[in-house]
């Protein structure tokens, strides 16, 4: 039995029926990581000892007949910007190398309570700043479907791990598409919940008003099950929303008859890859055949969102990353003569080029004399974008569009051109400014055998409609299965 | 105090505004549950939140908001229904996050005022705003000669309210008076312990001078590090003298931040205007806007005690006390409360006032904080005073009883009984004493009988002395006359 090829819900059922144990499952994934991760570099750290011990404990509990949690024995890979107590949590940044948080993120507490087993921490763009996982301070992650291509980012490690069967499910974080875009590039289901439904406590902040933790899985149902465990109010996160937003599994069986699906055709002109355009056509057809009412919606030009996003996100980041000063934890420059020297030394050595670029940008847009022209205008633009989405969602229950304009690009292709890199998020960023929910659903392979992803977007707390539409799309288009095992190159 | 008179003589008028930070009397910090207790070992009252660990989030302490609103209401400020927290960005080793959470363009309270001076010299000083913020930690240089600096973060995250005045103060004495009044107020309403030396009340001052009669404001300087009321006054005197000297010599005052060096009694330039910080304030994305519902403000209104001014006026009106008495008795909430309870119990407000101002304040050496630990309760003091009014004991005896009560807290009747201090009202016992006195003062008896009634008080004094003050004075007077008149026969 190939446990690593199974979905999390199939593994859960197998463990519950005692066809195999939680330990069998965890060992299978650890073995596969040992065999294959060297070529893709999805993981920064693997917690084998703890994972096996936890699996054994769960097996004992199951043997005693106690009710296993909804994720009992399910291994999960966790993006390295989510705090796991006592284990390395670096955001793939040298400035946090060796840092072990003294607490578990709320989502980790919830996962443990549900019986999930943390397999390890996955690679990412440093502090989630990037769209290709090339900005990691510890080496890039490769796309399991083609080692010359990027896995997307910033949750590239989590997406690659799920695509290659190194973990059945994973956690990522989505600030401007960082869960959905790598989901598309690696061919896995990947969801960004409504801002506020999942606690951010323990998610190392990039841009606080945009960041949201989201699940990645081999199918929509895995995303839904994980979402239901993760969501809920957290008194320790003041921005967390009141509860009651779980989506019953039964929603997946409801179909899409009568569901209004809007496609923002205005966005989909030049620059859209032909294979992606074809996949969009197939997706529209699939939803139509299932009884959905597919029509056109108009939305503000997404380039406004990109501009607003890079001002708001970098402004927040410039403050969020100020705490890495070498005084209390993490890397610390040696030989500094005074505090200013300590800061400059620590931060110049510890942060990579993209992070430094964004800190400088964010500092600039908040500076006296520039605040009104940049930050304040970006906030106004954000309000307009929000209103625009609200208006669109008055006419459509969900929106459908490609997750990215192209399939995965080549490693190194965009590293010299930050603006081209920023534009690879053009279809994902607007949703974060609006704070609604979205999901990437695999929609076949390109002619070059690279995954293509379609994105469904829904209004704030519109997860039920989102999952219904996603399930419909998935059942008509089919999942991709595991990426082919990478050959030595 | 030379400076203000000199400046007046030279035709210059100082313009002074203050920024006062009050530490709010909450048990826990403003954004985490760490204790705010003073004097704990360094870095013992800290947690991941106040240490600025990655991934942590602030959660606002409701009590801090309530205390701040209590102060706002006491100062007659307008309480904002929606106020917004903002990040104030700067690097310093005692500031773990690299930003302070404060309030900027939408503070908790706007406007308000505080009265200074007395009688005809009373003036209303305008309050510009009140806002909530967190305190930073403390840096000190190691005393081991290593040249290292040490950081104590216990104070980091302690709730502060910043009170900004209008530039309404005109002399260093007025600034001193304002601070005294403010301290009295915050202690009175229980929002701050008012301990300036312990750092729970801190002050920065802005000062400029202008030709008398001019409406335009001169260039101001800011003075920091003023850790006592005396230092505020001294530093202002120095700075006013300096600015006038600059203007007299046809120079220009440069905007700057100055540091008061109390040990050397002088000001140092901390930074010039060119070096001024750009704090890059922007709304704190980790906290939602603070919304004070109507009902909450109403509930807090109920927490505001009667203010010193109002209480003083009421004491004059209700108890017919002289202005002076009312002023002394309302100096602190403890004293006013003690007085009122004793006065009500005794039934003689003026007598109670005399006793509280002399005997009670004497017993606590003028420090009304000690009233809390005094064994004597206001009710028992009231009982004692009632015994004087009813004639049961003389004022002199009452003083002896009071001294005993102040130590033991005992009930006055019991003390009088136990010490045999009750008044002698038995006519036979007094007659016996009179007989002794007359026998021992034969020449004076002759004088009396010859018509010299002025010797009567002498006899009364002798009887009182013989009775150790216990003989009822009126009865003694009557019986003495009877005894003397009897000798005529
Ligand atoms: Zn704390």
């Amino acid at each position: 039995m190939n446990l690593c090829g199974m979905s999390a819900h199939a593994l859960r059922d197998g463990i519950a029926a005692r066809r195999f144990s939680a330990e069998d499952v965890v060992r299978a994934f650890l073995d596969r990581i040992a065999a294959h991760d060297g070529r893709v570099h999805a993981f920064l750290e693997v917690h084998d000892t703890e994972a096996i011990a936890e699996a054994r404990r769960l097996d004992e509990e199951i043997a005693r007949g106690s009710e296993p949690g909804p994720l009992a024995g399910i291994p999960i890979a966790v993006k390295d910007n989510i705090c796991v107590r006592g284990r390395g949590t670096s955001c793939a940044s040298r400035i946090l190398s060796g840092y072990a948080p003294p607490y578990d993120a709320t989502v980790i507490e919830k996962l443990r309570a549900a019986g999930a087993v943390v397999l390890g921490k996955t690679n990412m763009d440093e502090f989630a700043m990037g769209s290709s996982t090339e900005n990691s301070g510890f080496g890039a992650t490769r796309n399991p479907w083609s080692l010359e291509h990027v896995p997307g980012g910033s949750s590239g490690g989590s997406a690659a791990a799920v695509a290659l069967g190194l973990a059945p499910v994973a956690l990522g974080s989505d600030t401007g598409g960082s869960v959905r875009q790598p989901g598309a590039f690696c061919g896995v289901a990947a969801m960004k919940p409504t801002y506020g439904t999942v606690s951010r406590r323990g998610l190392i902040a990039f841009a606080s008003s945009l960041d949201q933790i989201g699940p990645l899985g081999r199918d929509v149902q895995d995303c839904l099950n994980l979402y239901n465990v993760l969501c809920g109010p957290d008194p320790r996160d003041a921005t967390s929303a009141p509860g009651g937003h779980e989506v019953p599994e039964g929603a997946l069986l409801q179909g899409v008859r009568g569901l209004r699906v809007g496609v923002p055709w205005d966005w989909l002109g030049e620059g859209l890859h032909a294979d992606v355009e074809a996949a969009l056509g197939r997706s529209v057809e699939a939803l139509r055949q299932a009884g959905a009412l597919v029509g056109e919606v108009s939305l503000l030009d997404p380039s406004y969102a990109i501009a607003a996003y890079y001002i708001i996100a970098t402004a927040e980041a410039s403050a969020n990353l100020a705490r890495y000063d070498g005084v209390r934890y993490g890397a610390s420059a040696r030989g500094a003569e005074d505090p200013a020297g300590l800061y400059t030394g620590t931060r110049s050595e510890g942060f990579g080029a993209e992070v430094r670029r964004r800190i400088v940008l964010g500092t600039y847009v908040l500076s006296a004399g520039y605040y009104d022209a940049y930050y304040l205008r970006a906030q106004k633009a954000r309000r307009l974008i929000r209103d625009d989405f609200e208006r669109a969602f008055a006419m459509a229950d969900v929106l459908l569009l490609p997750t990215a304009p192209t399939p995965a690009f080549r490693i190194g292709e965009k590293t010299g051109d930050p603006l081209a890199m920023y534009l690879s998020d053009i279809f994902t960023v607007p949703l974060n400014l609006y704070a609604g929910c979205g999901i990437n659903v695999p929609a076949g392979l390109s002619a070059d055998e690279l995954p293509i992803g379609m994105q469904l977007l829904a209004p704030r707390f519109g997860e039920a409609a989102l999952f219904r539409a996603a399930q419909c799309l998935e059942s008509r288009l089919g999942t991709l299965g595991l990426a082919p095992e990478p050959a030595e190159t | 105090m030379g400076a203000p008179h000199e400046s007046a003589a030279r035709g210059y008028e100082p313009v002074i505004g203050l920024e006062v930070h009050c530490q709010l009397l909450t048990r826990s910090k403003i954004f985490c549950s760490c204790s705010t207790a003073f004097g704990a070992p360094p870095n013992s009252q800290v947690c991941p939140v106040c240490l600025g660990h990655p991934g942590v989030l602030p959660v606002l302490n409701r009590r801090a908001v309530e205390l701040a609103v209590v102060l706002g209401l006491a100062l007659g400020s307008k309480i904002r229904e929606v106020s917004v927290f903002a990040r104030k960005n700067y690097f310093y080793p005692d500031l773990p996050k690299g930003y302070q959470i404060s309030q900027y363009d939408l503070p908790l309270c706007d406007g308000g005022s505080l009265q200074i001076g007395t009688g005809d010299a009373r003036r209303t000083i305008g309050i510009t705003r009140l806002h909530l913020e967190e305190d930073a930690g403390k840096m000190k240089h190691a005393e081991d000669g290593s040249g290292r600096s040490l950081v104590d973060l216990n104070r980091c995250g302690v709730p502060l309210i910043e009170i900004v005045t209008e530039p309404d103060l005109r002399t260093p004495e007025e600034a001193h008076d304002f601070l005294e009044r403010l301290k009295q107020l915050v202690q009175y309403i229980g929002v701050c312990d008012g301990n300036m030396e312990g750092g729970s009340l801190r002050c920065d001052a802005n000062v400029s001078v202008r030709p008398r009669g001019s409406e335009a404001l001169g260039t101001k300087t800011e003075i920091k590090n003023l850790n006592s009321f005396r230092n505020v006054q001294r530093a202002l005197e120095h700075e006013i003298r300096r600015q006038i000297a600059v203007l007299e010599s046809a120079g220009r005052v440069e905007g700057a931040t100055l540091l008061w060096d109390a040990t050397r009694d002088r000001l140092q330039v901390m930074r010039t205007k060119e070096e001024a910080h750009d704090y890059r304030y922007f709304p704190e994305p980790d906290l939602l806007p603070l919304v004070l519902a109507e009902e909450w403000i109403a509930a807090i209104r109920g927490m505001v005690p009667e203010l010193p001014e109002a209480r003083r006026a009421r004491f004059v009106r209700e108890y017919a006390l002289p202005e002076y008495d009312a002023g002394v008795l309302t100096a602190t909430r403890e004293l006013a409360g003690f007085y009122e309870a004793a006065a009500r119990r005794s039934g003689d407000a003026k007598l109670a006032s005399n006793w509280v101002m002399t005997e009670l304040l004497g017993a606590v050496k003028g420090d009304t904080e000690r009233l809390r630990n005094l064994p004597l309760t206001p009710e028992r003091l009231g009982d004692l005073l009632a015994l004087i009014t009813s004639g049961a004991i003389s004022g002199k005896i009452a003083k002896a009883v009071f001294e005993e009560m102040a130590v033991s807290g005992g009930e006055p009747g019991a003390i009088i009984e136990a010490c045999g201090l009750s008044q002698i009202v038995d006519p036979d016992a007094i007659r016996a004493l009179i007989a002794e006195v007359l026998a021992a003062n034969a020449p004076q008896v002759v004088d009396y009988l010859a018509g010299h009634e002025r010797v009567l008080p002498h006899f009364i004094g002798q009887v009182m002395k013989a009775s150790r003050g216990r003989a009822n004075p009126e009865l003694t007077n009557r019986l003495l006359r009877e005894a003397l008149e009897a000798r005529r026969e």
Side-chain angles (χ1 to χ4, degrees), chain B residues 29 31-35 45-51 156:
Chain B
K29 294 185 179 180
F31 298 124
C32 64
S33 53
C34 289
S35 166
Q45 292 173 343
V46 293
C47 72
V49 175
C50 54
L51 287 175
C156 198

Side-chain angles (χ1 to χ4, degrees), chain B residues 356-392:
Chain B
V356 167
M357 289 199 299
T358 52
E359 304 308 319
L360 185 71
L361 280 178
V364 294
K365 299 188 169 59
D367 181 359
T368 60
E369 292 256 325
R370 295 194 193 176
L371 286 175
R372 248 176 269 159
N373 303 323
L374 196 71
L376 171 64
T377 65
E379 289 72 26
R380 295 220 157 142
L381 176 60
D383 290 343
L384 178 67
L385 302 180
L387 290 173
I388 301 175
T389 7
S390 71

Side-chain angles (χ1 to χ4, degrees), chain B residues 88-92 94-95 97-100 136 277 279-280:
Chain B
K88 178 182 181 178
N89 298 285
Y90 65 95
F91 284 103
Y92 205 67
D94 68 4
L95 188 71
K97 297 190 296 296
Y99 57 84
Q100 178 194 30
H277 281 303
Y279 291 117
R280 306 190 310 280

Side-chain angles (χ1 to χ4, degrees), chain B residues 182-193:
Chain B
L182 184 65
K183 176 182 165 174
Q184 185 201 27
L185 178 70
V186 295
Q187 289 178 326
Y188 211 91
I189 61 180
V191 303
C192 173
D193 68 17

Side-chain angles (χ1 to χ4, degrees), chain A residues 99 103 202 320 323 328-329 343 368, chain B residues 51-55 87 93 96 278:
Chain A
Y99 174 71
Y103 70 105
N320 283 332
R323 68 190 62 196
R328 296 167 314 284
Y329 49 75
Y343 303 147
Chain B
L51 287 175
H53 270 258
R87 292 185 182 178
D278 176 2

Side-chain angles (χ1 to χ4, degrees), chain A residues 226-310:
Chain A
L226 209 50
Y227 163 79
N228 279 337
V229 168
L230 300 175
C231 74
D234 182 357
R236 294 165 298 181
D237 173 359
T239 61
S240 111
H245 301 295
E246 292 83 356
V247 177
E249 263 187 72
L252 299 180
L253 304 174
Q254 282 175 10
V256 294
R257 188 155 298 282
L259 197 75
R260 296 170 305 163
V261 179
V263 181
W265 288 107
D266 288 350
W267 286 14
L268 309 170
E270 266 171 71
L272 193 63
H273 191 283
D275 295 351
V276 173
E277 198 173 355
L280 174 63
R282 288 197 299 276
S283 305
V284 167
E285 207 40 49
L287 288 167
R288 215 169 246 156
Q289 279 173 12
L293 309 168
V294 185
E296 180 172 1
V297 292
S298 69
L299 283 173
L300 285 174
D301 187 327
S303 58
Y304 295 125
I306 291 284
Y309 172 84
Y310 278 96

